[in-house]
Amino acid sequence: MLIRRSVLAAAFLAATFLPCLCRAEEPLFLDGNPRYPLVYALENYRHYLDLDSCTLISGNADSFEISAEYIHEPKYPSHDYPYECRFRKNEESGGELQVWDDYSQKWCAIYNPYDQATVEGALKENGDVYYRLPDFYKFKCIYRQLFGIPYGGDANDEELRRSLILPAQSNASARTHQYLWDHENYPCIWRHQELAWHLDKHSVYVELDAPPQYILRILVLSAPQVHNNDIVPRSIDLYRLRYDEDEGKMFVENSAGDWRYMPPDGSSAESGKAMFIGEAAFYITYGRRFYGASPKWNQNLNAYFDVFDDAFYELLDGKA
């Protein structure tokens, strides 16, 4: 995959291995009971592991299948407690750490968000990295409970885990960020519910430059909107975008490998996000606007409107 990742890797490692100076104001145990430690939290939910339920299904510390139960707070009205989680790393998994996904009914890989080789390898193989962070931290806690040692010999396991448990939005130690890690290379390009998506400006790769046709690729990192500045991205995705300047049309490649047209009115949340990413990638690469070059006609509004305002490009220029 022809993408420059050195800046991403360096900044990613610098951010994730910084000492965690902030601490979450979350209850560390469910109802104060040490049997149920907090293992993951965002603004609107928390996961508490049931330590007494930790079970070694088979194997040992080097090759294993393990399970446990956990509590999701607040409780989903349609689901009875407890939830079960299962993990394995054995011959059946090919030596890969995996979690059982009830939704897809299959074993799925778990990536270590603190390992540069993991990030690089997953991007090269899949074009994206979805860390399954709640599963990752539940697994770490279960493994320590069963075998009495941190998984992978990670002496800073607790320090790293705490960086992913986020304070409430009202806490002054957590805030929204225009730039991930307050670095202008990672502007926030889209927000939806609890998540924000940040571009890696230095990752842009020009695959085709044959005016009026262009194809660009860019990496996009997702993270909670409100977080401490030592946050680890929840996922990294590769976007592939095509542009036709003669027709004034922008396209994004979908999971099937087909080009999907993105109209400048951003008719859905997903197409809107991809369109913002596409506009930003074009501007970062060529220093000129694509859909934002002139007002567009909106049939619903029966008027011209600016798809992107000046503040959008100022954000990309690091002037927000």
Side-chain angles (χ1 to χ4, degrees):
M1 186 171 295
L2 303 176
I3 291 184
R4 290 176 286 133
R5 302 194 188 95
S6 57
V7 176
L8 168 65
F12 179 81
L13 290 176
T16 55
F17 284 103
L18 285 173
C20 303
L21 301 179
C22 302
R23 285 295 179 265
E25 293 186 356
E26 292 281 356
L28 295 182
F29 304 99
L30 181 64
D31 298 328
N33 188 339
R35 171 183 170 179
Y36 300 99
L38 177 69
V39 290
Y40 192 81
L42 285 176
E43 286 184 89
N44 58 350
Y45 72 88
R46 296 169 295 281
H47 287 177
Y48 296 91
L49 189 70
D50 179 357
L51 293 180
D52 288 353
S53 71
C54 294
T55 302
L56 175 62
I57 299 173
S58 63
N60 53 46
D62 297 319
S63 177
F64 53 80
E65 182 172 341
I66 59 180
S67 69
E69 296 175 348
Y70 68 96
I71 306 298
H72 186 295
E73 286 290 342
K75 179 180 178 180
Y76 288 130
S78 60
H79 195 285
D80 292 330
Y81 285 142
Y83 291 84
E84 183 186 26
C85 51
R86 283 193 292 151
F87 305 90
R88 71 179 186 180
K89 184 180 181 182
N90 50 28
E91 290 186 6
E92 292 183 31
S93 73
E96 180 180 64
L97 179 60
Q98 297 177 334
V99 61
W100 176 255
D101 188 313
D102 281 330
Y103 181 78
S104 62
Q105 289 292 293
K106 65 180 182 180
W107 291 98
C108 300
I110 298 180
Y111 298 112
N112 181 351
Y114 303 105
D115 184 346
Q116 179 182 2
T118 293
V119 177
E120 296 283 331
L123 280 170
K124 183 176 181 180
E125 181 176 353
N126 305 321
D128 60 22
V129 187
Y130 177 51
Y131 295 118
R132 296 180 172 269
L133 291 179
D135 293 325
F136 180 78
Y137 287 105
K138 283 195 284 288
F139 162 74
K140 299 272 272 188
C141 191
I142 298 167
Y143 186 93
R144 183 191 287 268
Q145 177 72 8
L146 288 173
F147 302 114
I149 55 175
Y151 177 73
D154 184 4
N156 296 316
D157 183 54
E158 176 66 12
E159 194 76 4
L160 294 173
R161 183 186 71 82
R162 291 297 295 153
S163 74
L164 268 294
I165 297 178
L166 308 181
Q169 187 166 355
S170 60
N171 190 319
S173 64
R175 60 188 180 91
T176 58
H177 294 257
Q178 288 287 76
Y179 301 97
L180 191 61
W181 304 311
D182 289 339
H183 194 299
E184 65 181 43
N185 186 61
Y186 303 99
C188 178
I189 204 69
W190 188 259
R191 301 180 190 272
H192 181 63
Q193 295 180 352
E194 68 184 29
L195 289 178
W197 283 262
H198 299 259
L199 300 180
D200 173 15
K201 289 167 57 177
H202 287 198
S203 73
V204 175
Y205 177 78
V206 180
E207 182 179 323
L208 176 68
D209 187 345
Q213 301 290 331
Y214 309 86
I215 296 178
L216 304 177
R217 302 181 188 182
I218 191 168
L219 292 176
V220 181
L221 297 76
S222 69
Q225 284 202 47
V226 178
H227 61 257
N228 298 326
N229 213 26
D230 54 7
I231 193 69
V232 175
R234 297 186 72 182
S235 66
I236 304 177
D237 297 285
L238 174 64
Y239 277 73
R240 188 166 178 251
L241 306 131
R242 180 166 69 86
Y243 309 81
D244 186 323
E245 260 190 322
D246 277 357
E247 294 190 5
K249 291 184 177 181
M250 185 191 307
F251 305 82
V252 63
E253 187 180 44
N254 62 23
S255 58
D258 301 321
W259 293 110
R260 176 166 59 86
Y261 171 55
M262 294 181 290
D265 61 0
S267 54
S268 70
E270 179 57 31
S271 65
K273 180 177 69 174
M275 183 185 69
F276 272 59
I277 292 168
E279 179 73 17
F282 192 87
Y283 179 78
I284 291 166
T285 305
Y286 296 107
R288 64 180 189 271
R289 306 178 183 192
F290 193 80
Y291 278 161
S294 60
K296 307 299 178 183
W297 180 258
N298 187 299
Q299 293 182 346
N300 295 325
L301 299 177
N302 197 32
Y304 285 97
F305 74 107
D306 290 325
V307 185
F308 302 95
D309 59 18
D310 290 341
F312 175 80
Y313 302 99
E314 291 171 0
L315 175 71
L316 298 176
D317 290 332
K319 300 176 181 179

